[in-house]
Amino acid sequence: MTVAAMLGVLAGLAAPRIARSFPPRTPPAMHPTPAPAVASAPAPVGIAVVGAVVLGGLAAARWPEPALPAFLLVAAVGLVLAVADLTSLRLPDPLVGAAALGGGTALTVAAVVTGTPGRLALALAGAALSLLLYVVLALLPRSRLGFGDVKLAAVLGLPLGWLGWPTLWLGLLLPHLLQGLLVLALLAARRVRRDTALPFGPALLTGAWLAVLLA
């Protein structure tokens, strides 16, 4: 747990610098909706604390789960994705791809070592189901989901599916509950309007993390 927390600190310290290498695709003035409520880069120290809690929490909850390295890897990349989405409303494909490749590889190794190919098949099914559901949500009229959110949901479906269907469904539901509560709080505080663009990646990542802890 201590080692995982230290890795979380290192990932958190590096996250803002890595996220800055992926600027927004369009200048802020060209966004069709107002800028996100959280537009300034989080402090590296704050992200380091979050990293310690996230990775340390996973280690405490899932040790000695053979797939723990996959969870930690996806979570570490997720810190960078969260910062990038908060600051630029973007979930860069290279980072999402790195999480998919690293997480998928680590889960494959865990399945081979433990002789449980069925769990790997369940993880792949979880990714496919997450992809399908979020594609449908993104295509709904007036949907605020982008296809970066869709791809991230599919990646998170891998570790969630590995842990079973109840964990997967919880991981798919929690992000929407968390985002809804955040929007209500920001509206009540008059920090945003109904048409303000808000990142959804952090809610996806937080929901998946909580689902893994509760599994």
Side-chain angles (χ1 to χ4, degrees):
M1 177 177 160
T2 302
V3 173
M6 292 176 62
L7 290 174
V9 169
L10 294 176
L13 291 173
R17 177 175 297 180
I18 298 173
R20 282 197 296 270
S21 65
F22 298 97
R25 288 192 176 91
T26 57
M30 295 178 65
H31 282 301
T33 55
V38 184
S40 58
V45 174
I47 299 299
V49 172
V50 172
V53 171
V54 169
L55 272 69
L58 288 173
R62 304 312 309 173
W63 178 264
E65 164 71 54
L68 179 59
F71 301 152
L72 296 178
L73 191 153
V74 173
V77 180
L79 288 172
V80 186
L81 285 165
V83 174
D85 206 13
L86 285 168
T87 55
S88 64
L89 288 178
R90 183 183 178 190
L91 294 168
D93 285 343
L95 293 176
V96 177
L101 180 61
T105 300
L107 289 177
T108 301
V109 171
V112 171
V113 169
T114 59
T116 55
R119 295 193 73 176
L120 180 60
L122 192 58
L124 294 173
L129 179 60
S130 299
L131 176 64
L132 177 61
L133 289 178
Y134 271 82
V135 165
V136 172
L137 291 175
L139 293 177
L140 290 175
R142 304 179 70 179
S143 173
R144 293 296 184 89
L145 289 178
F147 275 87
D149 300 316
V150 172
K151 287 176 277 192
L152 178 58
V155 172
L156 296 176
L158 285 169
L160 293 173
W162 174 277
L163 293 174
W165 293 112
T167 302
L168 176 64
W169 290 119
L170 184 60
L172 292 174
L173 174 64
L174 280 176
H176 298 279
L177 295 177
L178 295 172
Q179 189 78 350
L181 291 173
L182 174 64
V183 170
L184 288 176
L186 291 174
L187 286 172
R190 297 185 178 181
R191 291 281 306 278
V192 300
R193 302 200 311 259
R194 289 182 180 274
D195 60 348
T196 300
L198 292 172
F200 190 63
L204 273 171
L205 292 159
T206 303
W209 178 70
L210 289 174
V212 171
L213 294 188
L214 295 172

